[in-house]
Amino acid sequence: MGPTRSCTARFELATSDIDIGPLREGLLRDEAGAYASFEGWIRNHNDGRPVSGLRYEAYASLAVAEGQRIVEEAAGRFPVSGVHCVHRVGELPVGGLAVWVGASAAHRDAAFDACRYVIDQVKLRVPIWKHESYTDGPAQWLHPDEPGSPPRPA
């Protein structure tokens, strides 16, 4: 019988820049032969419009609870030794790091699969909203008609 697999799984919101060095170090394990990560950045365009930045808002307690469920699901679904996700809230400039996901595992497939699962589920399920600013006109909420989105201004 082999060793019992233990896995750390963590989700958090950040109000300042995400420092990925310590996050990566936190996933290093002697049993891990692979590490994979995903970084989501603020781009300078969306739907043909020039973007100057954006603001993320979250229902913090629900976002953290649902995000934690997601990383725990990934830990149960894939043979990883660690999985961690950090999502920014607040104002971000173009080029800013909005979300980071990292996973370590004995083999690369599990690390890649866990990262993909986490980011896809976070985008789908976690109550975080995006208010995008443009250089050619007024800012707007993205996906304002989805359930749980903030109300449109009157």
Side-chain angles (χ1 to χ4, degrees), residues 34-38 78 80 101-105 107-120:
Y35 162 81
S37 67
F38 170 81
F78 307 102
V80 294
V101 181
S104 59
H107 303 284
R108 68 182 176 270
D109 286 346
F112 282 123
D113 291 345
C115 280
R116 180 62 181 248
Y117 179 82
V118 169
I119 191 60
D120 287 349

Side-chain angles (χ1 to χ4, degrees), residues 10-99:
R10 183 166 179 203
F11 177 89
E12 59 188 302
L13 295 176
T15 57
S16 59
D17 291 346
I18 299 169
D19 183 358
I20 63 172
L23 297 171
R24 180 187 175 279
E25 278 188 37
L27 291 170
L28 297 176
R29 305 281 187 282
D30 288 344
E31 71 274 10
Y35 162 81
S37 67
F38 170 81
E39 296 179 16
W41 307 316
I42 308 306
R43 63 182 176 269
N44 68 357
H45 67 280
N46 187 36
D47 288 336
R49 295 188 68 192
V51 172
S52 60
L54 61 79
R55 182 177 75 244
Y56 281 106
E57 293 187 12
Y59 190 138
S61 60
L62 287 178
V64 170
E66 189 63 19
Q68 187 63 37
R69 263 191 290 282
I70 291 165
V71 294
E72 288 172 5
E73 288 168 11
R77 184 178 285 235
F78 307 102
V80 294
S81 53
V83 60
H84 195 151
C85 179
V86 181
H87 202 299
R88 273 294 310 271
V89 292
E91 299 283 338
L92 283 93
V94 168
L97 180 58
V99 61

Side-chain angles (χ1 to χ4, degrees), residues 43-54 94 130-143:
R43 63 182 176 269
N44 68 357
H45 67 280
N46 187 36
D47 288 336
R49 295 188 68 192
V51 172
S52 60
L54 61 79
V94 168
K130 199 185 298 190
H131 192 250
E132 203 162 60
S133 298
Y134 306 99
T135 61
D136 67 351
Q140 69 181 26
W141 290 103
L142 298 187
H143 316 293

